[in-house]
């Protein structure tokens, strides 16, 4: 997910961010994507958002295709993809919207929905006319400027509005000059900035920019960059946009039209050189990339330009959401550490988000996980791969222990496959968890099946590459945390051992039926991660909250069945083993409150095993 | 102020506290006071509340004398004294209220006012009839039970209600038995507990208690203890209450009726022995003391009984208020550290109090300090004493530096007087500030006139006798803080030096006109005290808030004039020196953000002096 280092990135609107970056002489880029055709493609696109988001785009935008039901609730619609980018990937996002052939009510409905979902930026476009014969509709939307005016009159200043600029003039415009006048109208109607259509020569952009300035357009104009990625995609784009490819480019491409890799390398080279010229001119502060939903070429161009900034620093230990109503959110229960999208989904109906403190049990309820196949909760790996990792056939609880152990160690399982994900974590072990690897391996082998943990930290610099987060110059702290499934036999022994640690260790132990054993005072939350920064209040981004633990428990137990048991035939022994664990194991969490001392949780577990022997 | 160690003390109502103490086998005491006659006596009584509050009473109560305008806004009224006890001294308080000869509307008005002021407990009494001939009024209040019923019908369960019990029967009752029946009526009408009239022999109480139980009274009955403090006070009390002093006591007292000290010693002895018998019986869990607004005898009895508990542990670093609406308050700006009553006064109109975080500058405005002579802001020392401490005649700014230096060192000034208070601090230097004494002395001598400071603390146990606060098992932290007045010449040098410390030290520098120089990012508050506790969220009770600093600045500068300059004749040189400082000096605060390292603020000040040389 995105990594805005500055608080401002969570609070400013897009046009302010743009201005601040320009003032600071800080160059930026943005990425354009189109909505996917299938649910599987959507899962992949969202992974791509996460990966490309890590490079630090100022925003992404999602195109709008009237034929594809773009405003619907389908998981592949422009609206829902933009919603996912903002809410689940934490990306500043512009939703495109076209207006021709649509009623005012339709448009208003789309805009209201976008606002409700937390979208804050609209790219106002005319769209393509339905037939060949284009006639102005009375009272309808005939031009992008009508949509800009409509947004401003109906939604005041809520949205940042972007419009398209055509460096060569719009193909349907009477003339280049009349097109410039149309652009000026759009800006004067309330657009905040302009993104240009793609072009092939920097001079094209420079002339366009000067002409814009000459007629009084002063807002930012962002050049649209199209790294050529293949012969056919270029041809199709050129056909659609009615642009002409310069002869010198055609001359290079035609001879290698069947060699995609060669064309892409050339495209990258060309884009890098054009971008350099644009940036060196001092007229350009940001670059907009037409990605065609592909990663390689654009990432390569950005890296070569030095614009790709994979900043390991995090504003908070978890991935933030970009919905305006979550702007102040800075506390979450630790339980969803590996499932931030699920947490965002289950809290999407909340009106207020915890800021500064989690507070007591009066927080609103968590939403149900009604559909485990919702695309953003689905594993990225297909069933066959999961079976290879988690076992085609389980022979007992021990084979489950083995899966957990292999996930921790990173060693191949008995069939030679590495376990790179688990039902509770779709990614390999976090670097931080790696610090605990040896101990985790030992306990998983013996049936303490860990799904979440963190070491204690007594004041490391906030810039620490592994455990650091937040602004620089600060110090971060953690209480040691361990969360696992385990059998009732082990729980019985554990409870005896915990008596010795009564004042030091807080525990919550619960089974699928909700039987709950805890020593937490008054159901108060326990802060387990916090940071102290220069000139700021304390931030405590993760807590162990006894109340939300019961909501998490439902999800954590359900994942056994939904993600694992259901890989096997009904009534099969493998499925019955998972079902047995689901029905009989306990979910346990332990916090060592004495963060300045050595983590005592391993001793607690050792004592438990010793008691059992 | 009171020192409730447990959170529960801030959240439970009185009857719950009583029950919890009883269940825990934890014995307690309470103290009765009457309202003072003069404003000066009120200042003294409030100091007594603070001192006796430190011994840990479960509650205090304030009596009600219809002749003294008890419900008025006068600073000596029962209502306002109870208000001060609750709000400014943080004491659980019962306000007495009598009902005879008053209309329902009057009574309702008093109760509404009490509720508005944050009072939660009422002692419902009949009061004395106006004339000798007592006749029931139709539709009026004739008995305490009428008041109990009225409270319950008009205010539901809002108030905890206490009633009086007469171990010897009410002097006007037909009989002991009929009086018991009246008491039962009062309890069944909704009283929560009973406090008894004073008595001289434990048997009197035991019989009364058994008789109460026999007729079905099950609520707590608290014996009223009257330590005999002098011959005349005893006589007067006996006359008013129509009680008879047992012969064996008369026999002891009569011979020494002119020796107050001897009588008091005897009274203490007698009270201790009776209290021991009451407590040993197992029937008594708390003792109520009729103090007659005196400290010595009651404190002595309590100390000898082992009930006086001066617990050095504080729930928060500052003195909490007991107003229900401030129950969740746990963050304050550090500026009022030595003037908590002023802070409470200036924020009394707030509807919400910061909990968990101070938040940004949107907090409601601070009230004006319209009247510096408001009794709870007035110095306890009279003018002559202040002149001896702060100088009968000032000869220049240096004589002011000297006063500050003497206050820090505790050494006598050139006229042989110790400076035990300052306009910004009515008490001697705090133990914690003493840790910084040597450095403070050095800088005050040279014109850095410190009014507030704290050392940095990197995780000391929360039970530390000097810097600890909050529940045990935790760790407390602080950023070093220094606040002082100084000349513009020093400020100029300081600002040059601070450039070197830009990332480490946050500063706010302001003069009386409001010229404001700061490097605080976005006017955010900076947490300077925080604590980490087992099973809880982080608590950060003090912040340096740039916005409220400007409200504090007004108060801090005004104190120069109101408390110091005005001691001298108008136009006198002394007064003009203080006026000059007021008009020309700056108020500066500095925070060293790097709390794990050695405090750099002394280095900052040294560098500044060096630059000036």
């Amino acid at each position: 997910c995105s990594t805005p280092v500055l608080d401002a990135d969570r609070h400013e609107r897009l046009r302010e961010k743009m201005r601040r970056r320009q003032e600071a002489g800080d160059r930026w880029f943005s990425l354009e994507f189109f909505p996917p055709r299938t649910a599987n493609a959507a899962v992949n696109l969202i992974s791509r958002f996460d990966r490309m988001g890590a490079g630090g785009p100022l925003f992404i935008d999602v195109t709008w295709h009237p034929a594809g039901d773009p405003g619907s609730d389908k998981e592949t619609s422009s609206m829902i993809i933009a919603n996912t980018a903002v809410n689940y990937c934490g990306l500043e996002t512009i939703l495109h919207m076209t207006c021709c052939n649509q009623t005012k009510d339709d448009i208003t409905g789309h805009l209201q929905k976008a606002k409700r979902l937390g979208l804050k930026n609209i790219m106002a476009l005319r769209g393509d006319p339905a037939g060949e014969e284009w006639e102005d509709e009375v009272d309808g939307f005939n031009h992008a400027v009508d949509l800009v005016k409509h947004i401003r009159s109906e939604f005041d200043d809520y949205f940042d509005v972007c419009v398209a600029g055509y460096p060569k003039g719009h193909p349907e415009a009477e003339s280049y000059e009349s097109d410039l006048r149309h652009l000026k109208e759009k800006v004067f109607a309330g657009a905040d900035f302009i993104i240009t259509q793609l072009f092939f020569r920097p001079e094209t952009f420079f002339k366009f920019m000067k002409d814009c300035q000459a007629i009084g357009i002063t807002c930012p104009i962002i050049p649209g960059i199209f790294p050529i990625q293949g012969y056919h995609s270029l041809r199709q784009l050129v056909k659609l946009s009615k642009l002409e490819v310069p002869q010198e480019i055609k001359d290079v491409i035609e001879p290698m039209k069947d060699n995609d890799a060669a064309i892409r390398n050339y495209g990258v080279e060309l884009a890098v050189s054009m971008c350099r010229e644009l940036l060196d001119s001092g007229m350009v502060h940001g670059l907009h990339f037409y990605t065609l939903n592909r990663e390689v070429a654009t990432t390569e161009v950005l890296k070569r330009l030095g614009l790709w900034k994979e900043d390991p620093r995090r504003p908070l230990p978890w991935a933030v959401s970009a919905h305006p109503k979550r702007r102040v959110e800075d506390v979450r229960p630790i339980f969803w550490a590996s499932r931030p999208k699920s947490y965002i989904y289950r809290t999407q109906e909340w009106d207020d988000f915890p800021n500064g403190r989690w507070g007591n049990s009066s927080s609103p309820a968590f939403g149900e996980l009604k559909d485990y196949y919702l695309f953003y909760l689905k594993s990225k790996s297909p069933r066959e791969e999961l079976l290879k990792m988690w076992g085609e056939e389980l022979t007992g609880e021990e084979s489950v222990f083995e899966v957990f152990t292999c996930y921790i160690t990173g060693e191949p399982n008995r069939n030679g496959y590495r376990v790179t994900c688990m039902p509770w974590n779709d990614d390999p072990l976090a670097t931080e968890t790696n610090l605990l690897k040896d101990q985790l391996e030992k306990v998983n082998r013996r049936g303490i099946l860990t799904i979440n943990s963190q070491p204690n930290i007594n004041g490391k610099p906030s810039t620490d590459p592994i455990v650091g987060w937040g602004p620089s110059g600060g110090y971060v702290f953690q209480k040691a945390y361990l969360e696992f499934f385990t059998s009732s036999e082990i729980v019985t022994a554990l409870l005896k051992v915990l008596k010795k640690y009564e004042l030091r260790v807080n525990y919550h132990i619960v089974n699928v039926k909700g039987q709950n054993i805890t020593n937490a005072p008054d159901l108060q939350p326990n802060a387990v991660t916090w940071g102290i920064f220069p000139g700021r209040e304390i931030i405590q981004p993760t807590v162990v909250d006894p109340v939300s633990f019961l909501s998490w428990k439902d999800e954590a137990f359900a994942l056994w069945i939904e993600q694992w048991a259901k890989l096997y035939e009904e009534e099969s022994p493998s499925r019955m083993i998972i079902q047995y664990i689901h029905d009989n194991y306990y979910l346990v969490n332990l916090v060592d409150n004495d963060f300045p001392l050595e983590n005592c949780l391993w001793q607690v577990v050792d004592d438990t095993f010793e008691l059992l022997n």
Side-chain angles (χ1 to χ4, degrees), chain A:
Chain A
C1 276
S2 77
T3 60
V5 168
L6 294 159
D7 288 351
D9 279 355
R10 290 185 77 185
H11 293 94
E12 286 176 348
R13 46 195 305 167
L14 181 50
R15 65 192 184 208
E16 283 163 6
K17 289 184 193 178
M18 230 175 250
R19 199 189 49 237
R20 190 166 47 79
R21 293 281 189 112
Q22 178 168 341
E23 281 167 8
D26 200 1
R27 284 156 172 187
W28 53 266
F29 68 94
S30 51
L31 304 169
E32 183 163 312
F33 298 94
F34 55 78
R37 276 163 211 258
T38 66
N40 268 340
V43 172
N44 288 330
L45 182 60
I46 292 159
S47 299
R48 186 164 297 124
F49 286 172
D50 284 342
R51 284 192 302 272
M52 296 192 82
L58 186 65
F59 63 86
I60 70 153
D61 59 333
V62 179
T63 61
W64 181 273
H65 305 280
D69 206 358
S72 75
D73 284 335
K74 284 194 299 187
E75 57 206 26
T76 54
S77 79
S78 301
M79 186 71 83
I80 296 303
I81 290 296
N83 165 56
T84 302
V86 167
N87 287 294
Y88 296 100
C89 304
L91 296 166
E92 182 79 58
T93 302
I94 302 179
L95 176 63
H96 289 218
M97 206 172 277
T98 63
C99 61
C100 72
N101 300 325
Q102 287 191 81
T103 67
K104 280 201 175 170
D105 284 353
D106 283 346
I107 293 284
T108 305
H110 290 323
L111 289 165
Q112 279 166 341
K113 183 169 182 175
K115 184 176 173 182
R116 207 165 53 242
L117 294 175
L119 301 174
K120 297 166 292 181
N121 313 293
I122 299 291
M123 172 112 174
L125 298 163
R126 186 190 74 179
D128 294 319
E132 281 301 301
E133 296 292 303
W134 173 254
E135 268 181 44
D136 278 11
E137 280 180 55
V138 183
D139 273 345
F141 294 100
N142 296 305
H143 302 284
V145 67
D146 301 331
L147 179 51
V148 175
K149 285 178 182 163
H150 182 72
I151 293 174
R152 287 291 173 242
S153 82
E154 296 295 308
F155 294 85
D156 198 16
D157 202 33
Y158 174 78
F159 290 105
D160 276 19
V161 177
C162 168
V163 291
Y166 299 88
K168 288 280 201 186
H170 191 280
E172 289 166 22
E174 285 167 37
S175 67
Y176 176 75
E177 287 69 26
S178 86
D179 194 50
L180 272 185
R181 281 194 302 274
H182 285 311
L183 181 58
K184 183 174 172 180
E185 274 176 41
K186 292 194 282 188
V187 172
F188 278 61
D192 296 296
F193 53 92
I194 296 163
I195 294 178
T196 76
Q197 177 59 291
L198 65 94
F199 52 89
F200 294 99
R201 292 182 180 129
E203 310 85 73
T204 311
F205 180 80
F206 293 139
K207 176 180 186 305
F208 175 67
M209 186 134 181
K210 278 177 199 144
D211 293 337
C212 285
Q213 286 167 346
I215 63 162
I217 295 173
T218 57
C219 71
I221 303 175
I222 303 146
I225 310 297
F226 174 70
I228 297 170
Q229 308 198 44
Y231 185 75
H232 297 286
S233 62
L234 175 64
R235 267 182 67 131
Q236 201 181 347
L237 194 89
V238 162
K239 194 178 140 203
L240 279 172
S241 59
K242 298 178 181 153
L243 286 175
E244 207 173 310
V245 179
Q247 194 55 44
E248 69 267 25
I249 295 180
K250 281 189 191 155
D251 288 349
V252 179
I253 285 186
E254 283 292 341
M256 53 185 183
K257 66 179 170 186
D258 297 320
N259 186 344
D260 268 7
I263 291 186
R264 197 170 62 207
N265 287 343
Y266 169 70
V268 166
E269 206 60 54
L270 202 66
V272 168
S273 121
M274 186 165 78
C275 290
R276 285 219 176 101
E277 210 168 321
L278 289 168
L279 293 170
D280 289 349
S281 73
M283 293 164 77
V284 170
H285 308 279
L287 301 166
H288 184 71
F289 285 85
Y290 294 104
T291 68
L292 301 186
N293 286 15
R294 298 191 202 158
E295 275 175 79
V296 182
T298 301
T299 308
E300 176 69 18
V301 172
L302 287 166
K303 284 182 175 167
R304 286 182 50 189
L305 291 169
L307 291 180
W308 183 267
K309 280 175 191 151
E310 229 166 297
D311 194 325
R313 279 162 60 200
R314 307 168 288 174
L316 289 170
W318 33 262
V320 303
S321 165
H323 194 296
K325 75 176 177 178
R326 302 186 88 117
R327 209 171 266 160
V328 300
E329 180 184 26
D330 67 2
V331 193
R332 287 185 188 173
I334 196 173
F335 317 123
W336 283 269
S338 304
R339 293 176 61 78
K341 291 188 174 73
S342 160
Y343 181 78
I344 292 167
Y345 175 72
R346 295 188 67 181
T347 58
Q348 64 187 344
E349 300 298 332
W350 291 9
D351 292 322
D352 294 305
F353 289 88
N355 171 244
R357 113 167 1 189
W358 179 258
N360 50 23
S361 42
S362 56
S363 11
F366 286 86
E368 293 285 318
L369 274 177
K370 286 185 197 121
D371 184 355
Y372 288 95
Y373 301 101
L374 281 168
F375 64 102
Y376 41 84
L377 301 173
K378 199 167 135 180
S379 174
K380 280 174 291 197
S381 314
R383 179 169 179 271
E384 312 77 63
E385 241 174 77
L386 295 177
L387 281 170
K388 280 178 189 158
M389 291 196 263
W390 302 345
E392 304 273 357
E393 223 181 299
L394 303 174
T395 54
E397 291 166 65
E398 283 71 21
S399 24
V400 173
F401 301 176
E402 236 181 84
V403 175
F404 276 85
T405 309
C406 287
Y407 174 70
I408 298 291
T409 60
E411 301 292 319
N413 63 16
R414 62 178 59 199
N415 299 315
Y417 295 103
R418 280 182 214 283
V419 181
T420 56
C421 69
M422 291 294 282
W424 304 270
N425 196 343
D426 213 23
D427 295 304
L429 217 56
T431 330
E432 187 192 10
T433 317
N434 247 312
L435 299 173
L436 309 170
K437 200 162 153 177
D438 292 349
Q439 282 105 331
L440 287 171
E441 178 187 348
K442 212 170 75 179
V443 305
N444 277 281
R445 258 186 219 297
R446 300 193 57 181
I448 288 211
L449 307 176
T450 59
I451 59 170
N452 196 356
S453 59
Q454 68 176 22
N456 60 321
I457 304 287
N458 185 18
K460 284 215 178 178
S462 57
T463 47
D464 183 278
I466 295 175
V467 298
W469 53 273
S472 56
Y475 296 90
V476 298
F477 293 79
Q478 289 180 183
K479 291 181 180 175
Y481 179 74
L482 194 59
E483 183 182 337
F484 53 86
F485 289 101
T486 202
S487 67
S488 63
E489 188 196 359
I490 291 181
V491 163
T492 307
L494 177 66
L495 278 169
K496 280 190 195 129
V497 169
L498 283 170
K499 283 215 173 71
K500 284 196 299 177
Y501 295 85
E502 190 63 27
L503 293 170
R504 182 163 174 183
V505 176
N506 279 114
Y507 57 85
H508 300 91
I509 302 176
V510 65
N511 66 5
V512 73
K513 296 174 207 89
Q515 262 192 299
N516 191 12
I517 314 163
T518 176
N519 68 343
D522 315 324
L523 292 184
Q524 282 193 55
N526 191 354
V528 292
T529 306
W530 64 98
I532 318 295
F533 302 96
R536 287 162 193 260
E537 299 199 71
I538 314 293
I539 307 176
Q540 52 156 40
T542 57
V543 296
V544 169
D545 171 47
V547 180
S548 40
F549 186 57
L550 299 181
S551 294
W552 163 247
K553 175 265 296 178
D554 294 337
E555 183 171 338
F557 275 102
L559 288 164
W560 280 107
I561 304 298
E562 298 297 328
Q563 295 239 4
W564 198 338
K566 289 191 175 169
L567 295 177
Y568 310 108
E569 295 294 311
E570 273 187 58
E571 310 279 322
S572 67
S574 295
R575 185 148 175 177
M576 284 163 69
I577 288 163
I578 301 294
Q579 184 75 48
Y580 174 84
I581 290 178
H582 170 271
D583 295 348
N584 293 284
Y585 273 38
Y586 285 78
L587 181 62
V588 178
N589 78 49
L590 305 176
V591 177
D592 177 6
N593 286 299
D594 251 332
F595 62 95
L597 312 181
E598 204 191 336
N599 178 354
C600 75
L601 301 182
W602 305 117
Q603 193 58 50
V604 169
V605 175
D606 280 352
D607 291 358
T608 304
F609 286 133
E610 200 166 301
L611 189 65
L612 283 167
N613 282 353

